[in-house]
Amino acid sequence: MFQIYFTDRDAIHDYRDYCAYVDTQRYSRFTHNLLERGIYMTPSNGLHWIISTAHTQKDVTTLLEAADQACRSLG
């Protein structure tokens, strides 16, 4: 499991940091960009992403390529 935050901080340590420093609108745009590329991720920035052993290397590569494109589209 892991989480992605858009922030200018080096780390998010707790919920107060999350509320104060995380750009949830940018995360929302990011997940919508992923969806346009066929990748569904939780629209809630507070939830974990999960990759399991059921996912193939091709699945992971597809996700990484889509995430790269989605990040570039954010500007």
Side-chain angles (χ1 to χ4, degrees):
M1 293 190 308
F2 60 98
Q3 287 178 284
I4 293 179
Y5 296 128
F6 290 96
T7 182
D8 60 359
R9 308 289 284 192
D10 289 335
I12 299 297
H13 298 284
D14 55 34
Y15 187 67
R16 286 183 184 163
D17 284 354
Y18 171 81
C19 291
Y21 304 116
V22 172
D23 186 343
T24 57
Q25 294 300 315
R26 191 167 200 188
Y27 178 83
S28 179
R29 291 192 314 271
F30 175 68
T31 58
H32 282 92
N33 278 313
L34 286 177
L35 188 58
E36 291 172 4
R37 291 163 174 77
I39 304 292
Y40 174 78
M41 287 296 179
T42 178
S44 173
N45 196 191
L47 299 177
H48 292 87
W49 291 26
I50 299 170
I51 295 177
S52 74
T53 57
H55 292 99
T56 65
Q57 183 60 45
K58 183 179 178 193
D59 295 327
V60 174
T61 300
T62 299
L63 167 62
L64 293 174
E65 289 172 356
D68 186 49
Q69 293 169 1
C71 283
R72 277 190 262 126
S73 73
L74 294 175

